[in-house]
Amino acid sequence: MLDLAGQLHEWIEEGREFAVATVVAVGGSAPRPPGAALAVRADGTVIGSVSGGCVEGAVYDLCLHALQEGETLVERFGYSDEDAFAVGLTCGGTIDVMITPYDAGRTAPATALSAAARGEPVALARVARGPADLLGRAVLVRPDGSHEGGLGSTPDLDRTAIRQARALLDTGRTGTVELSEDGSRCPGGLTLLVESAVPPPRMIVFGAIDFAAALVRAGKLLGHHVTVCDARPVFATRARFPDADEIVVDWPHRYLRATETDGRTVLCVLTHDAKFDVPLLTEALRLPVAYVGAMGSRRTHQDRNRRLREAGVDEHELARLRSPIGLDLGARTPEETAVSIAAEIVAARRGGTGLPLTGSGTPIHRTEQLPQAV
């Protein structure tokens, strides 16, 4: 639901009533992950998607029903072998969708939508499976642990839900958490859907070369906040990189040392010049970031590794380096190379193999392992 925060916040500000259908569980090959949402206003206006088109019509009708009855319900959709035109997922998977009517009176969701629309980090935990009187109940959690709302069962349940939501918010992830009704972490009678809204992950592109311009566009397509950094002011210009969010003129290693990164940050080193690469990668490979890749030929890669070892980078740190950067697509142009790099970033994030799906037998949609609070 939080991925529709901007529009839904406007509807709340306008006093509109609407229902939101949110994917709360998936099985097999499903087109959209938990958290994907479709919203229907009382006048029939619709935004978002829960299945890429397979079951949207049926979900739309359920949203109108929820608005009329004022109740939350959960519906499962799956493939129908008996009738190819029946409501179902033609991809063969299943999805559970929770449909909840909303208005300004639901304070925790309204506050979460408002915060997410402003770009503030926030998590919203909702009961997606459990007793009918708890379905759709929500608690909002902020990074500092402050919260609003509650699940309305026991204080222990609220405390556990807040801890779990904060753990997911810390990593910027959305997922489900199994709890018992007494608030223990043992899987039991409740499933919480925790949605995290966080600022976009950073991509920092070092080296203001022609390949960087294409990679900036690919990074934006993947939803990153993209920074271009180069020590040469004649190359690091807005005219050359109109799509970048930021352009920084500084020595790359000095900028990286001073700027903010986290576990979702992607670092792409395109300079393939030892005087820039070695001090920069020495810093980068010791940071807890998601991805570090460096451009260059295999000869450049071998020479760079030698220099990094001489600079004190150990084998464990060196093993984190993706070099030569990107997947083997046979890319030649800057645009093709950007696709190659973007594909490797996605594979690293999602645990993909980088192999063709044809004949591979590997799952198309993988289930992420979610962190647990302690």
Side-chain angles (χ1 to χ4, degrees):
M1 180 172 79
L2 297 185
D3 59 349
L4 304 178
Q7 186 63 67
L8 296 184
H9 174 62
E10 287 185 14
W11 288 0
I12 290 175
E13 291 290 290
E14 295 169 358
R16 307 275 190 175
E17 292 186 356
F18 57 90
V20 177
T22 308
V23 177
V24 296
V26 301
S29 182
R32 305 281 325 265
L38 177 149
V40 180
R41 213 163 61 185
D43 64 3
T45 302
V46 60
I47 58 173
S49 171
V50 294
S51 71
C54 300
V55 301
E56 312 295 343
V59 172
Y60 177 87
D61 290 339
L62 287 170
C63 285
L64 293 178
H65 173 80
L67 278 169
Q68 182 177 358
E69 300 297 325
E71 63 181 11
T72 295
L73 63 148
V74 176
E75 188 78 14
R76 172 165 292 183
F77 296 93
Y79 181 72
S80 171
D81 289 314
E82 297 180 358
D83 184 354
F85 296 99
V87 172
L89 296 175
T90 57
C91 59
T94 62
I95 59 172
D96 290 349
V97 180
M98 180 169 66
I99 299 97
T100 304
Y102 284 100
D103 55 38
R106 290 179 176 261
T107 57
T111 304
L113 289 170
S114 176
R118 294 193 301 269
E120 299 173 5
V122 67
L124 184 68
R126 291 184 285 162
V127 177
R129 182 181 65 86
D133 62 330
L134 295 183
L135 279 180
R137 292 199 181 185
V139 58
L140 169 154
V141 181
R142 300 180 181 87
D144 62 3
S146 61
H147 61 279
E148 181 177 315
L151 306 184
S153 179
T154 67
D156 286 342
L157 177 58
D158 281 349
R159 280 193 291 268
T160 303
I162 290 165
R163 286 199 302 270
Q164 296 292 333
R166 192 176 179 188
L168 286 168
L169 179 59
D170 285 345
T171 57
R173 303 171 81 174
T174 290
T176 55
V177 177
E178 301 291 332
L179 301 174
S180 61
E181 289 187 50
D182 63 4
S184 71
R185 285 173 49 188
C186 299
L190 290 181
T191 299
L192 302 183
L193 173 68
V194 181
E195 296 179 76
S196 295
V198 292
R202 295 193 69 187
M203 171 187 281
I204 309 178
V205 181
F206 297 98
I209 64 174
D210 51 353
F211 287 88
L215 183 56
V216 167
R217 295 193 294 272
K220 295 297 293 181
L221 181 65
L222 293 180
H224 291 272
H225 180 279
V226 183
T227 300
V228 175
C229 176
D230 198 297
R232 303 164 296 178
V234 68
F235 294 112
T237 66
R238 176 58 63 186
R240 284 169 54 82
F241 300 99
D243 299 307
D245 294 291
E246 294 178 291
I247 300 171
V248 175
V249 178
D250 199 352
W251 277 83
H253 72 282
R254 186 167 60 191
Y255 173 69
L256 181 59
R257 190 180 299 154
T259 195
E260 183 176 340
T261 60
D262 61 24
R264 302 180 300 144
T265 301
V266 168
L267 306 177
C268 299
V269 180
L270 308 187
T271 46
H272 52 84
D273 182 331
K275 69 177 177 289
F276 294 118
D277 289 3
V278 173
L280 170 60
L281 289 171
T282 300
E283 293 284 340
L285 293 172
R286 291 167 177 165
L287 291 174
V289 295
Y291 175 93
V292 182
M295 178 176 277
S297 67
R298 297 196 183 279
R299 178 178 295 179
T300 298
H301 167 71
Q302 291 172 358
D303 179 67
R304 185 166 49 211
N305 279 2
R306 177 183 60 80
R307 292 173 183 268
L308 287 168
R309 290 187 181 98
E310 292 173 353
V313 176
D314 64 34
E315 296 303 316
H316 175 73
E317 293 164 341
L318 201 57
R320 299 183 58 216
L321 178 60
R322 306 273 183 156
S323 174
I325 195 170
L327 298 183
D328 180 11
L329 306 183
R332 291 183 178 272
T333 68
E335 289 74 20
E336 290 172 346
T337 301
V339 170
S340 166
I341 297 169
E344 185 176 52
I345 291 169
V346 173
R349 179 185 176 191
R350 301 297 187 186
T353 64
L355 297 173
L357 290 172
T358 302
S360 69
T362 58
I364 296 175
H365 304 289
R366 288 170 168 77
T367 301
E368 292 186 279
Q369 296 298 314
L370 300 177
Q372 295 292 312
V374 293

